[in-house]
Amino acid sequence: MTRCIVLLAWLFAMLPAWAGEVAIGNADTYTISRAFSWLDDPGGQLTLDQVRAPDARERFKPVLPTGPGPNFGLSTSSYWLEVTLRPAPDAPRDWMLEVAYPPLDRIEVFAPDGRGGYVKQTGGDNEPFSAREVPHRNHVFPVHLQPGQTTALYLRVASGGTVSVPARLWRPAALWAHDQASYAALGLYFGLLLGLLFYNLLLCISTRDRGYLYYVAFAAAMGIGQAALNGFGGQFLWPQLTWWNEVSVPTGLTATAIFGVLFAREFLSSAARMPRIDKGLLALVGGWVIALLCGLALPYHVSAVLVTSLAPVSVAALIATAWVSVRRGYAGARYFMAAWAALLLGVVVLTLHNTGVLPSNAFTANALLIGSATEMVLLSFALGDRINVARRFKEQAQARIAAERAMVEALSQSQERLQQVLDEREVILENSLVGIAFLTPQGRFKWANRAMFEIFGTGHESVTSMEPFYVSRDQYLEVGGHVAEAVTRGKVYQRELQFRRRDGALIWAQLTGKAVNPQDLGQGTVWAVMDITERKQLEQRLEETMSEREAILNNAVVGIVLSVYRRHEWVNEKFAQMLGYPRQVLIGQTSIYLHESEEAWRRFGEEARATLIATNTYTCEQLLRRRTGELFWVEMGGSCIRANDPDSGVIWTFLDITERKKSEAQMREALEQQKALNELRSRFVAMTSHEFRTPLAAILSAEEVLRHHGDRLSPSERMETLDDIAAGVQRMSRMMDRVLLLGQADAKMLDFQPHEVDLPRLCRDLVDDVRTQFPKSPCRVRAEWGPGVGRGQWDDKLLRHALSNLLTNAVKYSPSGGEVLFDVRRDGADMVFTVSDQGIGIPAGEVGHLFESFHRASNVGGIQGTGLGLAIVKNAVEMHGGRIEVHSTLGRGTTFTVRLPVASATAAA
């Protein structure tokens, strides 16, 4: 049967290749089989001239580009093959054509003779080995090429078995060098085979065990089949026996299968342990015997069909038998299973090598030899293991007899203890949290513990079977069928089912059962039932939660990706929309398409990987590419699933910041413009305040004239007019003073002239000025100062501007009244001025802009102001080396705190 597997490997591996020319240079070898074109010659009557005729050439077909060469399977036709060789001007003239399939019956090679004609060479396993052009295990023919001249090479092949033509062109020296290695490998293989054969033959003679005899016959048949397949036998063992050379392949294959199955029966004792399987094995032996007789008496095609049919059935039967034996723990079964697995592995590797999937090397090219050799060694180990097991069984039997004697004595002495243990186990079973029951083969209760009946809410005496607890009779019958199947096969039945309690409530339970004795099903079954209703509910809630989280992730405003080895394992809908692809297209893709170029992708991967390994997280702003090719900015953040291990997977988030980037650019541009505007505004304020002082002085002079000489108006009218003019002039003058002061501060021209200031007096003056300025205000202005407040070195003008502005604002922006507190305290080396009100407050988002020039809060309404006061306050405080803080609650009031360093001060009297 081993050879059947080999034949199947050849049948499926030898697939054709596309036709074409082969350029010949100075290499050692060239594969030409994939460049063949072929023509079917069913009657085998075509001549070379007929094949070369134009109408015949049009019927040539190219072969497919897989496998080692053309393969036409089991066919009675003849096939013409053509390949065009194009030698380079410096190419060698002498070559060897090797067709590496020894079982071919007949092969004819038509090579150019250098005079415009063709010379014919004949080979095949129907010819005596001495008739071959080149003595070689494969079919080798000398070919002479004319350098620089294109040459057409023709082959005609026919065979009663598989027609396969794996052809290569060799330089003679290279072929002989290659043969050194191949013949060495074959020598090692057959040497190992002979060693195992004679070793086990001696064991067979000494032990009289038929298993060794079958093994020896199996090894001998395998050697014959292998020698026939690789041409070793035709070259060295039966070079003149052409009849035997033709039938040796099917004979070796079928004999190997016969003795392999017989060895399996004997080794695994299938007749006693597995009688049903043993009948199938005997039937296979009969089938292989018929195939053997057909191989000897009938055409090769008939036996090949039988081999092809029987091989897969035999392989499946032996694997199934070995698997059952392993499951049942039979001695040596594991070695037996491993041996056949090694052979199958060799067949699979050789098949993949022949189809071009695996590269050609010493292992893949000789995989079948290695696999079969390993199989033979493991089977020999299996036989040896069986002897060891038999010895162990004998020793164990002797020990068991002694132990049984001791046990009898111990049992006679410990009957009471045994009863106590049984009682304890009865208590344990009865009080188990898991329901336990013992059922008859008909499914009736023999015994059940209390937990079993509590799970189903019934009493011990009111139930005889499990049927009343099933949701429906159909479910009961379905489960019963599955249970019967599992018990028959000796397996444990386990399933989670929904049951109905006696009170009608539905519960989930895990049902687990097995036969008490798999060899005697009449003893019944034992069952365990666990209530898993709560777990099922938790699983349902977990599934719902997972669905909700999936929905949340898919509806997130940022793109989310799970990436493993830089390949998308999962993406959310936002990420797909961001790139313009369907989600299904992105899953499974590498991330290279996201980046501007492959170099950018590689550079990003190196940087991100190093950072993830070092810190477990990575964030950056990156340019990515949409499906349309448009580049856009994203803020990326990555975190490893397993700490500091990016290979475990990385969760990435993507936030589209393209608009933000545009806004930032616009803001930078606006800031530059604002700088220029501020500079211009500062110069403008300084200029206008200087220009407006003279008109303001004139207005004041006019006001004095009107006051003393305006006899045309009544006294009350003149005074009212004059008061209005004076008030307006003073207001404009204060505004201009502020503008000038701010302009000087911005231009770094503000003079700072500290001198001794009487702080209590200054504070009283400021409070009086505020009360005078706002005589109709509903606010209560109150001043407090603590100990240590006296004289100190400050700039009187700047300090007056700063504190006056704070007090004026406190009253002005408290239209509903309330208390305005002006508190002065000494705090270490600082003098702290606090002005608090209960006014309209400042919006939280605008506090940061409060000290900017011309800025007014959005909630001031119709309250007049210039937006310059707090900017002047900040400049005045900073000129003193101090700082100002603000705390405000919208609608509840504001508190300004000014801290100025005290140069020198004396306490107030």
Side-chain angles (χ1 to χ4, degrees):
M1 189 190 66
T2 306
R3 301 285 71 79
C4 300
I5 299 171
V6 175
L7 181 59
L8 287 176
W10 279 104
L11 290 175
F12 288 104
M14 302 297 178
L15 298 175
W18 291 107
E21 292 186 351
V22 178
I24 306 298
N26 290 300
D28 288 336
T29 181
Y30 294 92
T31 300
I32 65 172
S33 53
R34 297 175 184 173
F36 278 128
S37 57
W38 61 277
L39 175 65
D40 189 2
D41 182 10
Q45 301 299 320
L46 294 178
T47 64
L48 177 63
D49 292 336
Q50 291 173 331
V51 167
R52 296 181 63 197
D55 59 336
R57 291 181 60 81
E58 292 179 355
R59 291 185 286 130
F60 272 86
K61 303 175 184 178
V63 298
L64 297 176
T66 57
N71 188 303
F72 303 101
L74 296 174
S75 176
T76 58
S77 294
S78 296
Y79 292 92
W80 284 88
L81 301 173
E82 177 192 26
V83 64
T84 301
L85 305 178
R86 186 161 44 82
D90 59 345
R93 181 177 181 275
D94 297 326
W95 294 85
M96 292 291 183
L97 173 64
E98 179 192 31
V99 179
Y101 187 57
L104 276 176
D105 288 350
R106 185 169 182 81
I107 178 170
E108 297 176 356
V109 177
F110 297 88
D113 58 4
R115 297 185 298 276
Y118 283 84
V119 59
K120 176 181 175 181
Q121 303 178 66
T122 303
D125 65 358
N126 286 341
E127 300 289 333
F129 188 82
S130 59
R132 297 191 179 187
E133 294 285 342
V134 177
H136 196 279
R137 64 186 182 90
N138 291 325
H139 307 293
V140 178
F141 306 91
V143 175
H144 306 292
L145 303 179
Q146 297 299 323
Q149 295 183 11
T150 300
T151 300
L153 188 66
Y154 293 90
L155 284 80
R156 181 178 179 274
V157 294
S159 184
T162 300
V163 181
S164 178
V165 190
R168 295 181 68 89
L169 206 60
W170 291 86
R171 294 176 70 170
L175 177 60
W176 310 138
H178 174 265
D179 285 344
Q180 295 295 321
S182 62
Y183 277 98
L186 290 173
L188 288 174
Y189 174 78
F190 286 110
L192 174 65
L193 203 63
L194 287 173
L196 291 174
L197 189 150
F198 286 116
Y199 171 73
N200 285 278
L201 180 60
L202 292 175
L203 288 177
C204 174
I205 295 172
S206 63
T207 62
R208 307 290 182 180
D209 189 337
R210 282 188 302 176
Y212 288 100
L213 180 61
Y214 288 142
Y215 177 86
V216 169
F218 174 68
M222 176 175 285
I224 293 172
Q226 194 67 262
L229 273 175
N230 57 41
F232 203 80
Q235 182 177 6
F236 297 108
L237 302 180
W238 50 82
Q240 302 303 321
L241 300 178
T242 56
W243 172 82
W244 173 249
N245 197 34
E246 183 176 0
V247 301
S248 59
V249 173
T251 301
L253 293 176
T254 52
T256 301
I258 291 170
F259 292 114
V261 176
L262 290 174
F263 173 75
R265 289 185 66 250
E266 180 68 22
F267 182 80
L268 298 175
S269 302
S270 60
R273 296 170 173 174
M274 300 169 285
R276 293 183 180 179
I277 295 177
D278 184 69
K279 292 179 181 179
L281 296 179
L282 286 174
L284 287 175
V285 172
W288 283 110
V289 170
I290 294 173
L292 175 62
L293 297 176
C294 290
L296 293 171
L298 298 177
Y300 182 71
H301 182 78
V302 177
S303 62
V305 172
L306 290 176
V307 168
T308 304
S309 302
L310 288 171
V313 178
S314 300
V315 170
L318 285 180
I319 290 178
T321 305
W323 175 251
V324 172
S325 301
V326 170
R327 291 292 302 272
R328 295 182 181 180
Y330 295 157
R334 294 185 182 275
Y335 281 111
F336 185 85
M337 187 81 173
W340 287 102
L343 179 62
L344 287 175
L345 178 62
V347 172
V348 170
V349 171
L350 181 63
T351 301
L352 295 177
H353 166 267
N354 290 340
T355 55
V357 176
L358 293 179
S360 179
N361 52 50
F363 173 74
T364 57
N366 298 289
L368 184 59
L369 295 178
I370 296 172
S372 59
T374 305
E375 178 201 30
M376 300 301 295
V377 172
L378 289 175
L379 289 179
S380 180
F381 285 167
L383 289 170
D385 182 66
R386 194 169 70 164
I387 295 176
N388 293 332
V389 170
R391 184 184 297 112
R392 286 198 301 270
F393 280 167
K394 180 179 179 181
E395 294 173 353
Q396 290 173 0
Q398 294 173 348
R400 187 164 54 251
I401 292 173
E404 287 175 354
R405 291 176 180 173
M407 186 184 301
V408 171
E409 296 177 0
L411 285 174
S412 61
Q413 299 174 1
S414 60
Q415 188 173 8
E416 292 183 1
R417 177 171 175 75
L418 176 60
Q419 186 62 44
Q420 180 182 356
V421 170
L422 291 175
D423 292 341
E424 290 175 354
R425 291 185 179 180
E426 180 73 19
V427 171
I428 292 172
L429 292 174
E430 187 66 27
N431 292 278
S432 171
L433 297 177
V434 178
I436 303 173
F438 183 25
L439 303 184
T440 66
Q442 294 76 32
R444 302 298 176 182
F445 279 111
K446 273 189 176 181
W447 176 89
N449 69 346
R450 182 169 55 198
M452 173 69 77
F453 295 104
E454 289 177 352
I455 289 174
F456 295 105
T458 184
H460 288 67
E461 70 287 345
S462 59
V463 63
T464 59
S465 74
M466 291 284 292
E467 182 177 358
F469 306 123
Y470 283 87
V471 176
S472 65
R473 179 166 179 78
D474 290 340
Q475 182 193 33
Y476 171 72
L477 295 176
E478 176 193 356
V479 173
H482 294 163
V483 169
E485 180 182 357
V487 169
T488 302
R489 296 168 60 186
K491 293 185 177 181
V492 176
Y493 178 82
Q494 184 169 338
R495 187 175 175 184
E496 295 179 356
L497 293 169
Q498 198 170 30
F499 292 95
R500 190 183 304 278
R501 287 169 52 91
R502 176 57 61 89
D503 58 8
L506 292 176
I507 63 170
W508 278 95
Q510 180 174 300
L511 184 66
T512 306
K514 61 174 292 186
V516 174
N517 183 357
Q519 307 301 326
D520 183 7
L521 302 181
Q523 295 185 22
T525 55
V526 62
W527 293 89
V529 178
M530 180 182 297
D531 189 344
I532 59 171
T533 305
E534 184 175 353
R535 193 196 78 191
K536 279 290 186 179
Q537 293 171 349
L538 291 174
E539 289 176 354
Q540 182 178 0
R541 288 199 293 270
L542 177 61
E543 183 176 353
E544 292 173 354
T545 302
M546 294 297 291
S547 299
E548 292 172 357
R549 292 186 179 179
E550 177 78 11
I552 291 171
L553 291 175
N554 275 325
N555 290 279
V557 296
V558 297
I560 303 174
V561 173
L562 171 59
S563 176
V564 179
Y565 294 109
R566 306 196 74 182
R567 188 178 297 276
H568 301 331
E569 296 297 328
W570 181 89
V571 302
N572 73 342
E573 190 64 34
K574 180 63 178 178
F575 180 75
Q577 293 173 0
M578 191 181 296
L579 296 177
Y581 290 93
R583 284 183 64 199
Q584 294 77 7
V585 174
L586 296 179
I587 294 176
Q589 296 291 327
T590 63
S591 59
I592 189 171
Y593 70 95
L594 290 173
H595 296 264
E596 296 179 85
S597 63
E598 184 175 352
E599 175 61 24
W601 175 75
R602 184 191 59 77
R603 187 169 56 251
F604 171 80
E606 293 174 352
E607 179 181 343
R609 179 179 177 82
T611 305
L612 288 168
I613 292 175
T615 66
N616 195 50
T617 59
Y618 178 75
T619 57
C620 70
E621 293 181 355
Q622 187 76 15
L623 262 178
L624 300 183
R625 187 186 303 277
R626 301 188 198 273
R627 186 178 187 179
T628 60
E630 174 192 358
L631 295 177
F632 68 106
W633 280 98
V634 296
E635 182 177 317
M636 295 178 59
S639 178
C640 298
I641 292 178
R642 192 164 53 238
N644 304 100
D645 182 12
D647 292 338
S648 67
V650 181
I651 296 177
W652 291 98
T653 58
F654 298 81
L655 178 62
D656 191 338
I657 59 171
T658 305
E659 293 302 322
R660 192 186 79 187
K661 282 289 186 178
K662 293 179 180 177
S663 299
E664 289 176 355
Q666 293 171 357
M667 289 175 62
R668 284 193 292 270
E669 182 179 355
L671 285 173
E672 293 298 326
Q673 294 176 355
Q674 186 64 32
K675 288 181 181 179
L677 181 60
N678 286 341
E679 184 178 356
L680 179 61
R681 184 173 58 195
S682 297
R683 291 197 299 267
F684 173 76
V685 169
M687 182 270 293
T688 53
S689 62
H690 176 72
E691 292 296 327
F692 284 165
R693 275 194 180 277
T694 302
L696 289 173
I699 292 172
L700 289 175
S701 298
E703 181 269 336
E704 291 178 357
V705 172
L706 289 174
R707 181 181 293 274
H708 298 291
H709 305 287
D711 53 355
R712 295 183 180 181
L713 298 174
S714 64
S716 60
E717 290 175 341
R718 284 198 303 272
M719 291 301 295
E720 184 178 356
T721 301
L722 293 172
D723 289 337
D724 290 341
I725 293 172
V729 169
Q730 290 174 0
R731 180 175 177 276
M732 293 179 66
S733 179
R734 284 195 299 273
M735 182 184 70
M736 290 302 103
D737 286 340
R738 291 179 179 180
V739 172
L740 180 60
L741 188 63
L742 182 61
Q744 291 174 343
D746 286 348
K748 307 299 182 183
M749 297 172 60
L750 189 63
D751 291 332
F752 177 67
Q753 298 177 355
H755 59 273
E756 187 176 89
V757 176
D758 186 350
L759 195 56
R761 179 178 178 182
L762 175 64
C763 295
R764 284 192 293 270
D765 291 344
L766 291 174
V767 172
D768 291 339
D769 289 344
V770 170
R771 289 171 178 165
T772 302
Q773 187 177 352
F774 299 95
K776 298 180 181 180
S777 173
C779 295
R780 301 183 303 279
V781 182
R782 184 166 60 89
E784 294 180 356
W785 47 83
V789 178
R791 296 179 179 275
Q793 295 291 323
W794 293 288
D795 187 313
D796 178 79
K797 180 179 179 182
L798 294 178
L799 189 59
R800 187 178 294 274
H801 270 297
L803 297 178
S804 175
N805 265 299
L806 293 177
L807 285 169
T808 301
N809 285 349
V811 174
K812 183 166 59 175
Y813 294 110
S814 300
S816 299
E819 184 179 67
V820 175
L821 176 62
F822 180 30
D823 181 81
V824 185
R825 292 284 184 272
R826 179 74 177 264
D827 184 12
D830 292 337
M831 191 66 69
V832 182
F833 303 86
T834 304
V835 177
S836 60
D837 61 60
Q838 298 173 349
I840 63 175
I842 303 167
E846 299 182 24
V847 171
H849 304 285
L850 201 59
F851 297 102
E852 296 176 1
S853 300
F854 302 103
H855 176 80
R856 302 191 75 207
S858 60
N859 63 332
V860 298
I863 302 175
Q864 295 182 353
T866 62
L868 299 173
L870 290 178
I872 294 172
V873 171
K874 188 172 184 295
N875 277 289
V877 171
E878 290 176 350
M879 292 293 288
H880 282 86
R883 65 181 185 274
I884 183 170
E885 300 174 353
V886 59
H887 300 282
S888 180
T889 302
L890 191 64
R892 298 182 62 182
T894 304
T895 299
F896 286 86
T897 303
V898 176
R899 303 182 73 91
L900 300 180
V902 180
S904 62
T906 58

